[in-house]
Amino acid sequence: MSDPAIVAEGLTKRYGKKRAVSDLCLSIPRGSVYGFLGPNGAGKTTTMRMLTTLTAPTAGRAEVAGVAVTNRPALTERVGYLPADPPVFDELTGWEQLRHVARLHGIPDDAADERIERLLDRFDLLADADRHIESYSTGMCKKVGVVGAILHEPAVVLLDEPTSGLDPRAARTVRDMVAELASGETTVFLSTHVLPVADELADTVGVIDDGRLVAEGTPDELKARSVDDVDGETDLESVFMDVTTDDRPPANGRASDRPDGSGDDRPDESEAEHASEGTHDRARIDS
Amino acid sequence: MTEHGSTPERPVDSGLGRPSVPGEGRTRPDVGTALELARVDVRRGVRWALAQDFWVLYGLVAAAGFAFMGWVAFDLGRTAGEALAADESTWLLSTGAWTVWGVLWLFAVGLLAVDALGSNGDLDADGYYLSVLSVPDVVGGKLLASAVKFTPFLLALAVPGHVGIALGAGQPLALVGCGVATVLTVVSATAVGYPLGLALKGLVRRSATLTRLKPLLGGAVGVTYLVVMFSGEFTTVVARIEPALRTPPLGWLGDLALATTGGVGASPTNAAGALVAGGVAVVTGTALATPAARYAWETDRARPAADGEADDATPPADPVGRLLGATPVSQPTRGVAVTTLRRVARSPLQLLFAAVPLLAAIPLGEQVLTTGTVPWYAPWLVVWYGAWAAGAAVPLNPLGAQGATLPALLSSPASGGQVVRGHVLAAALPVAPLTAAAAVGVGVLGGQSAMQLAAVGAAAVAVVVAASVLAAGIGSTVPRFETLDLGNAREAVPPSKVAFGVFGTALSLSVVAVAVVADELARDLVAALLTRSLPSNPTVNPDAVATVGWVGLALAALSVPLAYRTAATRIDDYRL
């Protein structure tokens, strides 16, 4: 069996005294899709940033595509990353943006243009490719971001909420693209709030809460072991509700009003420590 | 019940495909609703400004300017008041006050029209407001908010002058006329200027040509305004239009302002005429504001042809990219340079910060034009400005300027060195030749020798490139990620204030070093200045100045590779 595409052992990130990710262990096979679920502020984005060298771990180690996450120059050629906020310049056209990304990756213009045209066409964006991105909808920006993440044909792709803001057709295209990537040798690390997407695509699902991986397994295994099966039917939502808690003190007094913290998933220390006291361990699934 | 004591009216389906809203069909705004909208608008505006450090800084500078002008006005007023007490007259009391009040009214109308034409004349959440409130109510809120926002500027100029008159003449009642005139000026200028701006906005939105030319026209108006204000030509312009300013009904404002100041000879009839004319202007302008707002807000915007709906796109034209492709420049460096240049060209507002020192050059330009002589230091000033512009416009914030794309840049194989070289190329490609040509041109006009011209030309290119590298080093060390709202839905990420300060200081010292090394007159001037200003007045030899200049140059030269290495390492190692 070949080496895993992503390996993490005791991966931890602290911001001062605050723990964002704690003792994370992962082993994700090549050519698979790993669905990464968790509430807002659970540590998903921090984990992805550590796996792409954008954030330095406080402790532990990780390798992506056989390269340590401390070795940015070697790793950047092998990973593609789509942040939750699409990385685009409003002043450029879609095509100019993607050519810029291609040049950062050292791809010659001719080869880049051929790939860009093919991918834009696939995402139904070719007719709008010469319009400035400032006139694009959220979904169109997201599509440009997705194309930019896979343009250099990386071995591992990390996608943070790739289908949010997309219409059903575009979301379908992204899901097909993820499935197609994984059918080859590409490994996809997929963070999403859309649980049916993870259910459909992921070979393995991991749930992170308060910085800790609280459940991991295939979607079927997780659903089969869910303790919240009242009516005999289970889905990932039941699993999610079962293994994550909603007991963190809300910032504004209302638990349901947490902001979409895609870029800020730093729980405070008491929250992270509470999570380590066994509340979640009883739901851990050792598959 | 609402806060104003009336039952809220709900939108009613008129059966015409669009729900009717309360008050539809009338032109007079509901005062309670307008007040509430204005209150929220003013509060949001104040919080918007206070939340952004650069606008706070700008506000402080503007406040200092107004304080100075207020002091000048007070001094003029007190002198006039004292003259009045002595049964004499001054320019202010004979004609000046009438001219000043006419200028204030015209200025207010112009500024309010520009305010309405810009983003302040738009509605945030327009779909919401226009579906639950009537247009007259919304317009009423906008008019009130604008009047409130502009009142402090008018008060800062008018009140000190009349306080001076009141104190000088010993007539406290003089302030009553000033107060009434101020209120009338604000409300009538708002009622005239704001609808005018809204009508212009509607016109621009309906015309693809005007939409395309709007940034250019706006820039031209802005530059003209600054040149007039900073060149000292403002008084010339006022003198030209003075007869019109004193023509009724505008000329009656001065009578109203001085109506309660005894002994000036202000006409009570004219003062009453000002009140009547002002009232008519307010009623008419407020009534016209509603159709003007509809004209501006209820239209499909014309789109420039360049943004048209083409078939499938083709690879974009890329002349700079092709040019750089013919050089040994790497793909990542080419990508950064081309993208940076495109962004600057398409969003020139971010050059605003680099342009600020140009204001100081306007008086010099005027001096050159009026005297026909070019000071010896003018070419070096051009070099300094070129270097400043190159550094401040592009490389002074290489990390922060990436915005949301920073993760993509950092997780790409582009090295820090390649990114830095891309930014330096983007700055130096357009600025270095322009600076060299301008500096040499100014030197030729100043009659400098061929050797001096060669020195300034070579220095221009070298200093621009070096300054760009220096800026990258400083800016990557103290990056700024916070965006600055420039209005009109435009945002920029300016360099940090520390970066501006360090870069400006380092650059100024470097250019002084170059100047004293390359130019004998500069050496003599610095030596003389040092001799005069140092304690115990030692005689400073120009040769010693040159030696210090060489040392400074050596340090500046050393700082360039150090800055390059710092910037490259920072970008390579940067973590979010």
Side-chain angles (χ1 to χ4, degrees):
Chain A
M1 190 174 168
S2 61
D3 293 336
I6 299 176
V7 181
E9 292 172 2
L11 200 61
T12 300
K13 180 64 187 179
R14 289 192 188 88
Y15 293 99
K17 291 182 177 179
K18 297 177 182 175
R19 258 190 308 205
V21 175
S22 191
D23 199 24
L24 183 70
C25 296
L26 296 169
S27 180
I28 302 172
R30 290 179 194 275
S32 67
V33 178
Y34 189 87
F36 199 45
L37 312 180
N40 293 331
K44 299 191 298 296
T45 298
T46 302
T47 300
M48 297 180 90
R49 285 179 171 180
M50 283 194 286
L51 295 176
T52 50
T53 78
L54 294 172
T55 294
T58 310
R61 57 173 288 275
E63 285 185 1
V64 176
V67 177
V69 295
T70 49
N71 185 356
R72 180 181 285 177
L75 186 60
T76 49
E77 293 175 4
R78 307 183 193 194
V79 297
Y81 175 45
L82 172 71
D85 192 9
V88 292
F89 289 120
D90 286 349
E91 301 90 350
L92 303 187
T93 68
W95 199 312
E96 288 169 350
Q97 173 69 44
L98 293 170
R99 195 187 263 178
H100 170 67
V101 172
R103 282 176 175 166
L104 291 180
H105 284 277
I107 304 171
D109 285 356
D110 290 343
D113 284 339
E114 186 272 321
R115 280 187 218 173
I116 290 167
E117 184 168 9
R118 178 165 46 82
L119 288 166
L120 286 173
D121 191 31
R122 173 149 192 191
F123 279 88
D124 202 21
L125 208 58
L126 193 53
D128 299 301
D130 58 357
R131 278 176 47 205
H132 290 181
I133 289 175
E134 66 185 350
S135 69
Y136 280 14
S137 66
T138 306
M140 292 164 82
C141 292
K142 186 72 90 172
K143 287 183 196 176
V144 173
V146 171
V147 174
I150 61 176
L151 190 60
H152 57 293
E153 298 172 348
V156 176
V157 182
L158 297 99
L159 305 173
D160 198 347
E161 297 293 346
T163 56
S164 74
L166 295 185
D167 61 50
R169 186 182 298 278
R172 177 79 262 166
T173 306
V174 170
R175 294 202 298 273
D176 290 347
M177 176 68 72
V178 169
E180 185 181 309
L181 288 169
S183 69
E185 281 296 297
T186 308
T187 307
V188 181
F189 191 92
L190 177 70
S191 166
T192 181
H193 280 130
V194 187
L195 302 181
V197 170
D199 200 1
E200 176 190 339
L201 294 173
D203 299 299
T204 307
V205 168
V207 184
I208 187 170
D209 189 29
D210 282 355
R212 289 181 172 275
L213 194 66
V214 293
E216 190 179 53
T218 67
D220 287 341
E221 286 172 340
L222 293 180
K223 283 185 280 188
R225 299 183 189 192
S226 170
V227 295
D228 196 26
D229 181 7
V230 178
D231 55 6
E233 290 184 12
T234 58
D235 55 21
L236 278 182
E237 185 178 346
S238 304
V239 177
F240 186 89
M241 301 301 283
D242 189 31
V243 300
T244 62
T245 56
D246 192 23
D247 56 356
R248 276 172 286 180
N252 58 2
R254 286 184 298 164
S256 59
D257 273 359
R258 284 191 195 122
D260 185 353
S262 54
D264 181 11
D265 46 18
R266 305 175 184 181
D268 66 36
E269 188 176 30
S270 62
E271 295 160 5
E273 285 181 351
H274 177 71
S276 71
E277 288 172 0
T279 308
H280 301 129
D281 288 347
R282 65 180 165 76
R284 182 182 292 277
I285 296 167
D286 300 312
S287 55
Chain B
M1 295 285 277
T2 65
E3 188 179 326
H4 308 294
S6 60
T7 306
E9 298 172 86
R10 297 180 64 81
V12 180
D13 190 342
S14 62
L16 298 173
R18 166 175 177 266
S20 64
V21 294
E24 197 166 42
R26 62 181 162 83
T27 55
R28 192 164 50 83
D30 174 71
V31 176
T33 308
L35 274 173
E36 171 61 15
L37 290 172
R39 188 181 64 82
V40 172
D41 206 28
V42 170
R43 177 177 287 179
R44 288 182 63 214
V46 170
R47 287 181 180 171
W48 173 85
L50 291 180
Q52 303 186 81
D53 54 354
F54 272 89
W55 286 122
V56 171
L57 196 63
Y58 172 79
L60 290 173
V61 172
F66 272 93
F68 173 73
M69 288 190 284
W71 173 254
V72 171
F74 174 78
D75 199 43
L76 270 175
R78 192 176 52 184
T79 306
E82 286 167 356
L84 190 63
D87 215 16
E88 295 170 0
S89 187
T90 65
W91 165 81
L92 190 68
L93 297 176
S94 57
T95 60
W98 285 262
T99 304
V100 167
W101 277 98
V103 168
L104 286 177
W105 191 87
L106 269 188
F107 230 83
V109 167
L111 289 176
L112 282 153
V114 170
D115 192 51
L117 181 60
S119 58
N120 283 339
D122 286 324
L123 286 175
D124 293 333
D126 54 349
Y128 169 74
Y129 280 115
L130 293 177
S131 61
V132 301
L133 294 173
S134 72
V135 174
D137 293 349
V138 177
V139 172
K142 280 285 183 188
L143 289 172
L144 275 175
S146 295
V148 169
K149 280 189 272 190
F150 277 87
T151 298
F153 299 106
L154 210 59
L155 287 176
L157 296 174
V159 170
H162 284 265
V163 167
I165 292 174
L167 287 176
Q171 296 187 35
L173 275 182
L175 288 175
V176 175
C178 167
V180 175
T182 301
V183 171
L184 189 72
T185 299
V186 167
V187 294
S188 61
T190 305
V192 173
Y194 212 78
L196 192 65
L198 288 173
L200 283 173
K201 182 193 282 286
L203 198 65
V204 170
R205 285 185 171 171
R206 283 169 169 75
S207 163
T209 307
L210 287 176
T211 300
R212 197 170 47 249
L213 290 177
K214 187 181 165 189
L216 200 65
L217 293 172
V221 170
V223 168
T224 306
Y225 171 80
L226 290 173
V227 168
V228 168
M229 297 306 286
F230 282 84
S231 65
E233 291 298 316
F234 179 65
T235 48
T236 311
V237 173
V238 170
R240 287 261 176 90
I241 63 171
E242 193 170 14
L245 294 173
R246 300 199 58 191
T247 304
L250 194 52
W252 292 340
L253 262 179
D255 289 296
L256 180 63
L258 295 171
T260 55
T261 307
V264 179
S267 160
T269 312
N270 288 354
L275 285 171
V276 172
V280 169
V282 170
V283 171
T284 311
T286 305
L288 288 175
T290 296
R294 286 206 168 101
Y295 184 63
W297 295 340
E298 297 175 358
T299 179
D300 293 327
R301 298 187 190 202
R303 294 190 179 281
D307 245 14
E309 293 78 24
D311 292 333
D312 286 354
T314 51
D318 186 13
V320 178
R322 278 203 308 277
L323 176 74
L324 292 177
T327 67
V329 167
S330 68
Q331 277 287 80
T333 297
R334 187 154 73 120
V336 171
V338 170
T339 295
T340 305
L341 280 171
R342 277 198 176 116
R343 293 185 67 207
V344 170
R346 290 173 188 171
S347 186
L349 270 179
Q350 59 186 288
L351 298 177
L352 204 64
F353 306 100
V356 170
L358 264 186
L359 296 179
I362 291 175
L364 174 68
E366 194 203 12
Q367 182 195 338
V368 170
L369 288 175
T370 51
T371 63
T373 57
V374 178
W376 66 270
Y377 57 84
W380 295 106
L381 202 62
V382 172
V383 171
W384 181 91
Y385 181 72
W388 162 267
V394 174
L396 197 51
N397 194 17
L399 288 163
Q402 299 301 314
T405 72
L406 184 59
L409 178 74
L410 297 179
S411 61
S412 78
S415 69
Q418 289 171 323
V419 174
V420 173
R421 291 197 292 279
H423 278 96
V424 171
L425 257 180
L429 264 180
V431 179
L434 276 176
T435 305
V440 170
V442 171
V444 169
L445 289 175
Q448 298 197 348
S449 68
M451 187 63 96
Q452 286 172 317
L453 292 177
V456 83
V461 174
V463 170
V464 164
V465 173
S468 302
V469 176
L470 189 65
I474 294 167
S476 59
T477 306
V478 279
R480 174 189 166 114
F481 298 97
E482 195 182 351
T483 57
L484 181 69
D485 190 346
L486 296 171
N488 222 7
R490 298 278 178 190
E491 286 187 340
V493 185
S496 66
K497 294 187 288 296
V498 174
F500 268 126
V502 173
F503 177 62
T505 306
L507 199 60
S508 300
L509 292 176
S510 302
V511 171
V512 169
V514 171
V516 297
V517 164
D519 195 287
E520 192 180 341
L521 202 53
R523 277 196 292 278
D524 292 343
L525 181 71
V526 171
L529 281 174
L530 289 174
T531 300
R532 188 180 299 176
S533 55
L534 286 177
S536 74
N537 296 342
T539 304
V540 178
N541 191 320
D543 290 340
V545 171
T547 306
V548 174
W550 278 112
V551 173
L553 264 187
L555 288 174
L558 275 177
S559 72
V560 174
L562 187 67
Y564 175 81
R565 190 173 174 75
T566 302
T569 308
R570 278 284 288 173
I571 294 169
D572 277 334
D573 296 343
Y574 197 80
R575 298 289 187 273
L576 300 178

